[in-house]
Amino acid sequence: MSSETLIYIILAGIIALLLALFQYKYKAKGASKKNALFAFFRFLSIFGVLLLLINPKFEQVNVYNEKPNLVVAIDNSNSIKYFNQEENVTSVVKRIKEDKTLKDKFNIDVFSFGNTLNASDSLSFTEHQTNIDKAFKELGQVYKRTVSPTIIISDGNQTYGNDYEYAANKYNQPIYPIVVGDTTRYSDLKLKQLNVNKYAFLKNKFPIEAILVYNGDENVSTKFVVTSGKNTVYSRNLSFSENDNSKILNFTLPANSVGVKSYRASLIPIATEKNKVNNSKNFAVEVVDEKTKVAIVSSVLHPDLGMLKKSIETNEQREVVFLKPQETIGQLNDLQLVVLFDPNNSFKSLFDALKLQNKNKFVIAGPKTDFNFLNSVSEYYQHDITSQTEDYQPVLNVNYSSFIVDDLDFESFPPLLANFGEPTFSVPFESILYKKVGSINTEEPLLATFEINERREAVLFGENLWKWRAQSFINTDGFNAFDNFTGKLIQYLASNKRKNRLNLDYQSFYQGSSNIIVSAQFFNKNYEFDANESLNITVTDKVSKTSKTIPFILKNNNYQVDLSTLPASDYAFTVKATSENISKSGNFKILEYNIEQQFLNANVSKLKTIASQSNGSSYFIDNYESLIKELTNDERYKPIQKSSKNIVPLIDWKYLLALIALTLAIEWFMRKYNGLI
């Protein structure tokens, strides 16, 4: 309480006293015991009212002790089961959770991780990927400003993500790895990596790169073989030694027929080899008969141009060429789509040719666009003509129906620079993205598509798309999400297929270690997204002839089903709507590959490194009891005394109001009783 407030309270007491004496001594012309009692109650009531007007604030300080956290992160991947350590890991976790000394000293928080971090101690050891890097990053956000020594129970082998040693360096908590798995070194041949394109083109040859590694002291000879079914399509004899312990093979295979072609690459095991699973990998290539050729036409230079080429060409089925407007006219027959960037008068002949050949196009109109010209050549939309520019952020239209659009967290994307004004359409259209100005959402299209006369068009009112791709990389640690969005838009525009009420999004083949997600959209007769439909997928194994039916779940603006539990095989499937006689069928292949079984030993050296760099210690699972003793005796982990200060204004104190009411009531009843009222 400040000294100024204290002075006000003293003055309030004096004023209340003077008013009470004035009422019951000066005006009453004398003093009596009754008047003194009346004056006392009047003093209390006036003083209470004045205190409420002053409203002094009081500080309440609570002092408490906060125990440090003990974070236990458990590797829940399939590699723990492969090393036959699931029972040992489960017993260690139970022992740590139930240890009385640890519970007295720490708040114990248990997490499990595979590809993601989960706040749960439920262990199944069935995760197909291990991402230790992501686990450290997410734990670092949760325990940023705390004392939280961390036990990580793992074999240290990561199958996905960045090198976790760097994430561990930024974690700022002592790390105590408990090493799980075999630490004995065996002679081992390993097919470490196989690089192959997802697509190949008919009558061409597609390249393959194989990286082969040998761990051992002796000289060994083996053979590298690639088979397709029972046929050997490539083979090569190899020799390894302690010094010559890695080889890179580059070769090509022919693409003779259309469809998904499956192959198996193998290193013939040596006699003393213990882990033979990592000697082989299955891979597949989809052979296609044609390539989509996209022309980006522009008379200006802009970073969006290079970004579009990079994003579109992430799908090997697509080729992008840069052309000037006049150059494009003679090549229209070879093009499936034309992207017109900032069109102006020099595009006049090209627009006429596109109209004559009824070609699909994608117009990107930014501040450098000549809107007088664009309005004159565009039959189906117009844009207000103004020299002002505006920054527009995107907002996803979740009811967009032409193809499945995933939410990339568009509202986190930087705004696009565009001309101020509203576009108007004279034909039915759909907005993929709406404009957002500041905090105001509008229903004006930022990116829209429409179909007319068996032709598809899209128009984007803004530039600086390269910032979107960069932001997507920040959000997801990769370009895949944004490139998939671009790819779906290009695929839609490059095709003239009739619109369907049931659309599916799936791949022709999946690696056995990846998530297998099939997405679907269902539309009513007006082609509006129907979120009330029930969709089921019936999957049939072509080899075993077994079938199973699984319902889709509604997620955002599409339906999804997770088929990751299916074993490796060839599958046919049918998706059906329950309320209408609408269905769609397809095929996909799951390649046999368990990345968690590719490791022979625990990565002891890396786990020891992150322990020493973080001022922690590493232990093997056989002597984890020593870790409990170390944590119990470590003087760094003591309870921290903290205090919380709560400032409470007097006006919130209800008892003062009750006291004022009580004193006034007592005074009134006493005066009434004595006949003074």
Side-chain angles (χ1 to χ4, degrees):
M1 188 186 302
S2 65
S3 57
E4 183 180 357
T5 304
L6 190 61
I7 292 172
Y8 285 145
I9 292 173
I10 295 172
L11 289 174
I14 294 171
I15 292 170
L17 181 62
L18 291 175
L19 288 174
L21 292 175
F22 175 79
Q23 178 72 27
Y24 288 108
K25 185 173 183 181
Y26 177 76
K27 289 187 69 177
K29 303 297 184 182
S32 67
K33 289 184 178 180
K34 291 181 181 179
N35 285 345
L37 192 59
F38 292 155
F40 173 71
F41 285 117
R42 179 59 59 90
F43 166 77
L44 288 179
S45 58
I46 295 174
F47 185 58
V49 172
L50 292 175
L51 280 180
L52 288 177
L53 292 174
I54 297 169
N55 193 24
K57 296 178 175 59
F58 300 92
E59 293 182 356
Q60 292 180 344
V61 179
N62 296 321
V63 179
Y64 60 95
N65 291 329
E66 184 178 276
K67 294 191 292 185
N69 302 304
L70 178 61
V71 181
V72 183
I74 310 145
D75 188 341
N76 194 32
S77 67
N78 190 254
S79 62
I80 303 299
K81 185 179 290 186
Y82 181 66
F83 285 132
N84 296 318
Q85 294 291 324
E86 60 267 37
E87 292 184 6
N88 290 336
V89 171
T90 304
S91 64
V92 169
V93 173
K94 183 179 180 181
R95 172 75 172 83
I96 291 172
K97 288 169 56 181
E98 295 178 354
D99 187 271
K100 188 177 185 306
T101 56
L102 289 179
K103 289 167 69 175
D104 290 341
K105 187 171 184 176
F106 298 98
N107 295 316
I108 301 176
D109 297 332
V110 181
F111 298 85
S112 63
F113 64 88
N115 192 29
T116 58
L117 182 72
N118 302 297
S120 169
D121 58 357
S122 177
L123 301 174
S124 61
F125 305 108
T126 56
E127 298 271 355
H128 296 297
Q129 297 274 15
T130 306
N131 193 340
I132 305 175
D133 169 71
K134 187 175 183 180
F136 276 127
K137 286 179 179 177
E138 294 185 0
L139 288 173
Q141 292 295 320
V142 176
Y143 297 100
K144 185 182 295 184
R145 294 181 178 85
T146 62
V147 177
S148 304
T150 300
I151 299 173
I152 177 168
I153 305 174
S154 175
D155 55 22
N157 293 317
Q158 179 171 275
T159 63
Y160 187 79
N162 299 322
D163 189 340
Y164 63 85
E165 187 175 334
Y166 299 102
N169 283 338
K170 297 179 181 179
Y171 183 48
N172 295 327
Q173 303 286 354
I175 301 171
Y176 297 89
I178 297 179
V179 182
V180 179
D182 198 346
T183 59
T184 307
R185 189 167 182 246
Y186 300 94
S187 294
D188 183 56
L189 286 170
K190 180 178 181 180
L191 175 51
K192 185 174 183 180
Q193 191 167 329
L194 200 63
N195 298 321
V196 58
N197 292 333
K198 187 175 181 180
Y199 300 98
F201 298 97
L202 187 65
K203 305 302 181 184
N204 286 344
K205 291 186 175 182
F206 57 93
I208 298 172
E209 182 181 65
I211 301 175
L212 314 173
V213 176
Y214 168 67
N215 291 317
D217 304 327
E218 301 175 353
N219 296 338
V220 297
S221 296
T222 185
K223 191 175 185 179
F224 177 74
V225 179
V226 179
T227 58
S228 177
K230 296 181 179 180
N231 300 321
T232 300
V233 295
Y234 179 84
S235 65
R236 182 170 173 179
N237 294 319
L238 301 170
S239 297
F240 293 92
S241 65
E242 184 178 7
N243 296 323
D244 184 17
N245 58 7
S246 65
K247 295 186 185 298
I248 298 176
L249 302 184
N250 291 284
F251 56 97
T252 60
L253 295 177
N256 295 324
S257 59
V258 174
V260 177
K261 307 302 176 185
S262 299
Y263 301 89
R264 183 175 180 85
S266 303
L267 264 174
I268 304 301
I270 57 178
T272 58
E273 197 162 357
K274 184 177 180 181
N275 183 7
K276 299 178 183 179
V277 176
N278 61 9
N279 288 47
S280 301
K281 285 189 179 181
N282 295 308
F283 67 98
V285 174
E286 185 174 1
V287 180
V288 294
D289 194 13
E290 60 182 22
K291 193 169 189 175
T292 301
K293 192 173 183 180
V294 179
I296 298 179
V297 186
S298 176
S299 60
V300 299
L301 295 177
H302 196 279
D304 280 357
L305 302 177
M307 183 282 299
L308 284 169
K309 177 178 172 66
K310 188 74 174 177
S311 184
I312 294 170
E313 287 187 342
T314 53
N315 186 325
E316 295 92 343
Q317 289 180 275
R318 302 191 180 106
E319 177 190 0
V320 174
V321 293
F322 291 115
L323 297 173
K324 297 294 184 183
Q326 294 303 318
E327 297 174 336
T328 312
I329 298 173
Q331 301 184 35
L332 282 180
N333 289 333
D334 299 327
L335 299 173
Q336 283 71 51
L337 177 64
V338 179
V339 180
L340 305 158
F341 191 88
D342 280 338
N344 52 38
N345 280 317
S346 64
F347 287 68
K348 179 68 169 65
S349 300
L350 177 57
F351 270 91
D352 292 340
L354 289 169
K355 180 180 178 182
L356 184 64
Q357 296 191 28
N358 205 36
K359 282 279 187 180
N360 296 349
K361 60 179 178 283
F362 179 18
V363 177
I364 300 177
K368 298 182 182 65
T369 298
D370 184 346
F371 279 99
N372 284 309
F373 164 74
L374 186 60
N375 288 343
S376 68
V377 296
S378 59
E379 304 173 73
Y380 309 115
Y381 59 89
Q382 301 284 301
H383 193 282
D384 295 339
I385 299 174
T386 174
S387 59
Q388 287 182 284
T389 59
E390 184 63 79
D391 289 329
Y392 293 112
Q393 280 191 286
V395 177
L396 178 65
N397 174 17
V398 296
N399 294 316
Y400 182 76
S401 64
S402 295
F403 56 88
I404 297 174
V405 181
D406 297 319
D407 189 355
L408 309 184
D409 192 15
F410 284 103
E411 295 196 34
S412 71
F413 284 13
L416 296 186
L417 183 63
N419 281 58
F420 182 78
E422 181 179 357
T424 55
F425 286 78
S426 58
V427 295
F429 72 98
E430 279 192 290
S431 295
I432 301 177
L433 300 171
Y434 294 119
K435 292 179 179 179
K436 180 179 180 180
V437 184
S439 60
I440 301 173
N441 290 342
T442 73
E443 293 194 358
E444 296 178 20
L446 179 63
L447 173 61
T449 62
F450 59 90
E451 299 181 30
I452 192 78
N453 297 330
E454 298 184 354
R455 183 173 78 245
R456 292 178 173 178
E457 293 189 27
V459 57
L460 172 67
F461 298 102
E463 62 181 35
N464 292 333
L465 276 170
W466 66 270
K467 294 182 179 179
W468 284 10
R469 192 169 188 255
Q471 185 62 47
S472 179
F473 180 88
I474 294 171
N475 291 351
T476 63
D477 287 333
F479 295 114
N480 287 345
F482 183 82
D483 292 342
N484 287 340
F485 168 73
T486 306
K488 288 180 181 180
L489 177 60
I490 297 300
Q491 182 179 358
Y492 165 77
L493 292 173
S495 171
N496 288 316
K497 291 181 180 178
R498 187 174 176 271
K499 195 172 184 180
N500 296 312
R501 290 181 58 191
L502 178 60
N503 294 326
L504 302 181
D505 185 14
Y506 66 98
Q507 298 180 25
S508 54
F509 63 90
Y510 299 88
Q511 293 289 345
S513 58
S514 62
N515 291 328
I516 302 168
I517 305 294
V518 176
S519 301
Q521 279 189 323
F522 185 82
F523 306 102
N524 60 25
K525 293 180 180 179
N526 295 323
Y527 289 98
E528 298 169 333
F529 180 72
D530 188 348
N532 298 316
E533 184 56 64
S534 294
L535 298 180
N536 294 305
I537 183 171
T538 301
V539 184
T540 303
D541 189 327
K542 293 181 180 180
V543 179
S544 65
K545 307 302 181 184
T546 58
S547 298
K548 62 189 307 185
T549 300
I550 306 171
F552 281 79
I553 61 171
L554 183 63
K555 187 174 182 181
N556 298 327
N557 63 326
N558 59 74
Y559 295 88
Q560 289 187 3
V561 63
D562 189 346
L563 304 177
S564 301
T565 57
L566 294 178
S569 188
D570 287 342
Y571 291 93
F573 69 89
T574 300
V575 177
K576 289 184 178 180
T578 57
S579 63
E580 299 193 45
N581 187 24
I582 296 176
S583 64
K584 210 166 193 179
S585 299
N587 298 275
F588 63 84
K589 181 190 293 284
I590 301 177
L591 304 178
E592 185 175 1
Y593 180 61
N594 189 337
I595 194 170
E596 292 290 340
Q597 295 181 4
Q598 301 302 303
F599 301 100
L600 184 65
N601 306 103
N603 196 338
V604 180
S605 59
K606 180 155 287 190
L607 292 175
K608 284 185 175 181
T609 299
I610 64 173
S612 62
Q613 290 177 346
S614 64
N615 295 320
S617 304
S618 62
Y619 295 85
F620 293 103
I621 198 164
D622 295 332
N623 66 335
Y624 73 92
E625 293 283 354
S626 301
L627 171 58
I628 296 177
K629 293 179 182 178
E630 180 180 343
L631 290 171
T632 304
N633 298 326
D634 198 320
E635 294 297 320
R636 290 178 294 175
Y637 313 131
K638 291 183 176 180
I640 299 173
Q641 189 177 77
K642 292 188 175 182
S643 62
S644 62
K645 183 168 68 174
N646 188 24
I647 299 176
V648 182
L650 187 65
I651 200 169
D652 291 342
W653 196 49
K654 300 176 182 178
Y655 297 109
L656 182 59
L657 293 173
L659 180 63
I660 294 171
L662 181 63
T663 54
L664 289 173
I666 292 173
E667 181 187 352
W668 186 86
F669 278 113
M670 289 182 65
R671 294 186 64 188
K672 182 75 173 176
Y673 180 79
N674 288 280
L676 299 177
I677 296 178

